Each structure stands twice: as C-alpha cells, then as structure tokens.
Amino acid sequence: GIQVEQSPPDLILQEGANSTLRCNFSDSVNNLQWFHQNPWGQLINLFYIPSGTKQNGRLSATTVATERYSLLYISSSQTTDSGVYFCAVNGAGSYQLTFGKGTKLSVIP
Amino acid sequence: NAGVTQTPKFQVLKTGQSMTLQCAQDMNHNSMYWYRQDPGMGLRLIYYSASEGTTDKGEVPNGYNVSRLNKREFSLRLESAAPSQTSVYFCASDPGTGGASIYFGEGSWLTVV
C-alpha cells in the first residue's frame, strides 16, 4: 500500500512564528488531505489538495504530485494552532485513506 | 447541526466482554468508516461501507464486525474485547467521494483491562 511520511514529528514554535510541515508519499494518489487534530481529539479537515496550491486564512498548502510531496504552511502561528497535523492519501478507486503519523505542533505564548 | 455522532464517548471493558460502538450521521452521506487511533500513530481504517448495504474490510479488521443498519447508521462491534483493542475509535462519513469531503465524529475512548 501507499506509504506516508510526515516531518518533522514534533515542532515547538513561539507565537507569531511561521512553519512548514511536509508530507511525502510513495505512490500516485487520487486524494490528499490535511487534517488538524486539536488537543481534545477533534479532527478537522483543513485542505483537500491532490495537486496545486490552496490558501485558507493563515494556512496554505501545496502539493507537487509529480514529486510526491505536499507542504502545509502556517503563518503567524497562534496558540490555537497547537495539536497534531495529519496528511492522508488514497489512490484511485480506493476508499482507504492512509494517514501519516502526524506532526505534533506546540505553539507557546 | 450534529454531523457525525458517536456513542459512547468513554468505555472501560474487561477482557472477553463484548460491546457495540454506535455511529450516526445526518448529512445524507453514502459512505461511512470506522478508524482506530493508537498513541503516536495516525488513523487506521478498520471497516468501511461505501454505500448502504455494503461493507468492506480495511487495514485492521481482525476482532471487529460492522453493520450498516441504514443510510444514517454504521455500528462497530467487538465480540470478545482484548487489551490490544484499547484505542480511540473514530467514525466518519463522506458523500461517496472516497474521503475527499470526510467528516469525523468526536471519537470514542475505549480501554480494555
């Protein structure tokens, strides 16, 4: 199956700093998504981005499908950005989203 | 505006006991999923139902059974719980897009002692 690797595994930021999270995947994908899991465990879908670039407020994401990676950018980080960020992918015709192990982000005041 | 609702939220079981996790969605979605999340790991798919009347195994189906009761409801049953099934369980649904517009429930914390 498709392998998904995320880096870094842990990240500590001062409030206001910017960060880049990376997701590498081992095969062609039909679907790539970024999720945020808050400290209470709730999972929120941030971006559906199998290719190209999208922006939503302080967050943006870019996927280069031909090179099999995606990047999530967080600008002017806030304490509410803390939590775990997951990348998940699936191939054409597959219902099984394969998740990476996540990047745990801690934003400190 | 409930979205995906799971019950119970917390449960402690003894080894060998059985239980059913319930899940319901009110978004008229075709597909429903059960995932488990273990510490330091991403989510792994247990079973899914692409549409009403169908169910299929995911990555980690052993020890579980599912029922797609109707379009709204998808239950997960542990027939004989084992400590290895201690985990956080997430139900999810999407319109039938293979996860592209997926919504997750709030999770069910299960401990097997």
Side-chain angles (χ1 to χ4, degrees), chain B residues 24-90:
Chain B
Q25 52 92 7
D26 62 1
M27 296 173 282
N28 200 35
H29 284 170
N30 288 317
S31 302
M32 297 185 74
Y33 309 81
W34 277 106
Y35 286 87
R36 62 177 287 173
Q37 183 179 23
D38 300 300
M41 302 285 289
L43 280 69
R44 291 182 294 168
L45 183 64
I46 305 170
Y47 271 94
Y48 67 96
S49 171
S51 60
E52 186 178 359
T54 69
T55 59
D56 285 285
K57 295 179 181 180
E59 181 184 356
V60 288
N62 291 345
Y64 305 95
N65 286 300
V66 291
S67 295
R68 182 76 183 265
L69 304 170
N70 48 55
K71 190 171 186 179
R72 290 186 63 249
E73 298 173 288
F74 188 40
S75 63
L76 178 72
R77 183 161 178 83
L78 287 69
E79 290 291 353
S80 179
S84 61
Q85 293 178 304
T86 293
S87 189
V88 183
Y89 291 86
F90 288 93

Side-chain angles (χ1 to χ4, degrees), chain A residues 9 14 25 36 56 59 67 84 106 109:
Chain A
Q14 201 78 38
F25 44 96
H36 175 223
N56 184 3
L59 274 60
E67 297 187 22
V84 183
S106 300

Side-chain angles (χ1 to χ4, degrees), chain A residues 8-61:
Chain A
D10 296 280
L11 185 60
I12 300 174
L13 293 178
Q14 201 78 38
E15 199 169 23
N18 303 328
S19 62
T20 301
L21 283 58
R22 187 177 179 102
C23 171
N24 292 331
F25 44 96
S26 62
D27 205 346
S28 300
V29 299
N30 197 50
N31 173 14
L32 186 145
Q33 297 183 73
W34 284 97
F35 295 90
H36 175 223
Q37 186 170 41
N38 67 22
W40 296 271
Q42 187 179 10
L43 277 158
I44 303 298
N45 196 331
L46 295 175
F47 292 103
Y48 166 71
I49 187 166
S51 63
T53 297
K54 289 186 178 179
Q55 181 156 5
N56 184 3
R58 296 181 295 103
L59 274 60
S60 64

